[in-house]
Structures are given as C-alpha cells and as structure tokens.
Amino acid sequence: MPKTSVPKLSRRGFCLCCVGVASLGVAGGWLSPREAFAEAHQLVNMIRGAAAKANITTHKLRGNVFVLEGSGGNIAVFAGQQGKVMIDAGITATRPKIEKALNAIGKQPVTHLVNTHWHFDHADGNEWVHAAGAKIVAHENTKKRLMETQRVEDWDFSFPPSPAGAIPTETFSEDREVEYEGCKLHFVCYEAAHTDSDIGVHFVDQNILHTGDTYWNGIYPFIDYSTGGSIDGKIAACAKSLAIADNKTIVIPGHGAPVSNKSELKAFHDMLVAVRGNVARLKGKGMSVGEVAAARPTADFDKHWGQFVITPGLFTQLVYEGV
Ligand SMILES: [Zn+2]
C-alpha cells in the first residue's frame, strides 16, 4: 500500500476512527507530521462530504428496537409510546436523512440520547438532537473529553471543545440500570478499551446489546491510545460483553455489518487475543514495529478481518503500541 493512499469509502460508511490510521504508514513507514496533518484534514472533509451524501438504512431488530446504518457509527433507536431513545447520534451532515429515518419509525420525539463514547462519528449529532429536546446521557469521561480540546496522536489531529448544547447532561461511571420510555437499559461500563469513555447499552427485555466501538464486526478495529484506549482493554471489554450476551442476543457493533451475534463477537475477541499474543512475543524479542509488521503476526486473520481501512500492518502497529 502506498503510504499516502486514502482509505476507500465503503457501503458501510466511513468512520473517523479510521482517519488517522491512514496517516500511519505500513511496516513502520510513518508520514511526517506535516503530511499526516494535511491528510487528516483532507479525510475529515471527505468524511463530512461522505456523511452528507450517505444513505441511511433502517434495520428492524425486535421489540421496537431499530438500527440506523450509514452515518458514522451504527445508531440504535428504541421507539416507545411517547418518545424515542437513541444510542449514538452519527455525523451532523446526515441530519436530514437521520430525521427522515426517525420519522419513518414513528412521530414521537427523541427524549434521550446515549453516547457510547466521545468520538466524532458517534457524538457529532449531539447538538441538534439535544436542541430537538433530548437529554444526553454518557460516561463521565465522554463529557470530560467533549468539553476540552482532544488531541488524537494517531490522527495527528486536534478536535476543539464541543458546543455547550452537545455536552452530556447526565453522566455516570459505573454500570447502572435505567428505564427510559418504558425501555429497560443496562449501561455497561467497560474499562478503558477503544477510548476511556466506552459504554455498552443492553436493551434488557429485547436482549439487544450495542457495544459501541469496543467491537467492530468483521474488520480490524481502531484503538485510540491518545484518549485512553488499549488492546488489553479491548479484550477485557469483549469478555464483559460476552458474559452479558447469550445465544439469542442481537449484538450491534460500533462499525461493520450492524446486526451481529455472540458467536461473531467471540470470533472478534479470539482474534484480538491471538494477534496480541503474536505481537507481544515478537516485540519481546526486541523487534521494532517495522520488523514485527514484516513478520505478519496477523497472517491467519487477514483474509477475514483485513479488508477495511485498518490494514494488517496498521492493526499490528496499534497492537504493538500496547504490549
Ligand atoms: Zn470510535
């Protein structure tokens, strides 16, 4: 892969989580900060443009729970009698299409928006959803991160503080159960995994688990070390989700095909464990990141998992950083 190649847009939408990874070279070839900065800006604009044109696909799951696919991360929606609950808000540029999809589900307003973590492709829409009347609920670290400038080193990119209307109005830092619009939700606090602000949301009666970006379905994931993520935290988060799920659970990943299940989540967990083991063993011999990537520690998994913007070399770098 040429070092400045731009990840291609896929029908699964494009994720900001992947932006900076394009600024990482494969097998140790890093872009200069200036090149990476220029590329990150170009990609942010590309994401905004892609989100503006994105089509939203609505999947009906069960028990009045839906998932909207196409604007950043996968968005879950519960439609109650009087109001809706949204899990993540996608990218603002897609607002008209998200509103259309929400209205097609029902005319009731969104009363609660839950963020799975602070990243742009999940929380960018906070401001408009809040202005339309919703409370914003999130892990306290999501609030903290949205209130301050966030520097993501692997993207060579700084995000300014979010506007006041986008800041979560209710926060928590331990697992909790709530009931919104007659829907019982279990907020699952993961240890720092993809970021330090990750939660999962279990729709208890419908047995549907939105994992946020702790799980990407069928693709190598991004890990945001700059805001607290780690490979070991990702593995622990998947283990926690697996303990909650059973064979009937519908699992909604942060990215990738939006309707998944426990066995696919287990395969993701097992892939993380195996790659972590391979990379740790090679790094333990004193090998550089380039040498480890050249030894192809992901080879057994690339055919299935390496087909999206996080390439095998990039994923190896992300794991290397954390072992
Ligand atoms: Zn993310």
Side-chain angles (χ1 to χ4, degrees):
M1 177 175 130
K3 67 174 184 173
T4 53
S5 79
V6 172
K8 64 177 187 288
L9 293 170
S10 92
R11 67 189 180 84
R12 294 291 177 205
F14 191 87
C15 155
L16 191 71
C17 298
C18 314
V19 164
V21 185
S23 342
L24 305 170
V26 177
W30 296 74
L31 298 184
S32 74
R34 234 173 101 213
E35 287 171 322
F37 184 75
E39 183 164 289
H41 273 266
Q42 182 196 338
L43 282 162
V44 168
N45 289 332
M46 194 170 91
I47 290 162
R48 289 189 193 283
K53 287 186 217 127
N55 283 319
I56 297 296
T57 306
T58 301
H59 306 261
K60 183 162 173 33
L61 302 181
R62 63 164 85 105
N64 285 342
V65 179
F66 302 78
V67 62
L68 310 187
E69 177 187 13
S71 177
N74 292 317
I75 297 169
V77 179
F78 170 80
Q81 293 287 326
Q82 308 297 327
K84 295 192 190 86
V85 181
M86 270 176 96
I87 314 299
D88 282 342
I91 294 170
T92 304
T94 326
R95 174 180 179 173
K97 286 175 183 167
I98 293 174
E99 285 182 312
K100 200 174 156 199
L102 289 170
N103 282 329
I105 289 170
K107 299 294 174 209
Q108 63 278 64
V110 176
T111 58
H112 296 80
L113 164 62
V114 182
N115 290 145
T116 61
H117 61 298
W118 76 271
H119 278 159
F120 165 92
D121 49 327
H122 302 257
D124 191 45
N126 278 15
E127 191 178 25
W128 77 260
V129 178
H130 177 67
K135 289 180 180 158
I136 306 176
V137 185
H139 191 285
E140 66 180 16
N141 287 346
T142 293
K143 177 175 180 175
K144 216 159 71 183
R145 297 237 172 247
L146 289 177
M147 287 178 75
E148 295 165 4
T149 299
Q150 295 302 327
R151 170 91 189 145
V152 179
E153 289 300 334
D154 282 338
W155 300 339
D156 192 24
F157 198 87
S158 295
F159 293 87
S162 295
I167 304 299
T169 48
E170 286 178 25
T171 62
F172 56 93
S173 57
E174 289 177 349
D175 282 26
R176 66 187 286 199
E177 308 247 358
V178 297
E179 189 167 327
Y180 298 151
E181 302 304 336
C183 181
K184 278 190 214 132
L185 301 174
H186 170 201
F187 295 152
V188 182
C189 285
Y190 300 112
E191 69 174 78
H194 171 72
T195 65
D196 65 3
S197 62
D198 302 306
I199 64 157
V201 180
H202 189 215
F203 296 80
V204 177
D205 291 333
Q206 297 83 357
N207 194 9
I208 295 169
L209 175 64
H210 193 317
T211 61
D213 278 359
T214 63
Y215 168 42
W216 287 15
N217 185 13
I219 48 183
Y220 288 137
F222 181 60
I223 302 168
D224 182 0
Y225 286 91
S226 286
T227 65
S230 75
I231 178 64
D232 288 342
K234 287 211 56 120
I235 291 168
C238 289
K240 188 162 183 177
S241 293
L242 286 168
I244 292 165
D246 61 33
N247 292 338
K248 296 205 170 106
T249 306
I250 297 174
V251 180
I252 304 172
H255 297 275
V259 186
S260 185
N261 55 45
K262 185 174 184 176
S263 67
E264 289 176 344
L265 172 61
K266 174 82 165 54
F268 179 78
H269 167 274
D270 292 352
M271 177 276 292
L272 294 180
V273 169
V275 172
R276 188 213 180 278
N278 291 347
V279 172
R281 184 169 38 78
L282 297 170
K283 188 175 179 181
K285 291 181 183 169
M287 291 165 75
S288 70
V289 63
E291 287 165 345
V292 172
R296 302 194 60 225
T298 61
D300 291 347
F301 301 97
D302 292 346
K303 191 157 180 260
H304 180 73
W305 302 91
Q307 308 301 313
F308 195 54
V309 290
I310 309 292
T311 62
L314 303 175
F315 183 55
T316 300
Q317 289 188 351
L318 291 170
V319 176
Y320 186 94
E321 204 171 336
V323 296

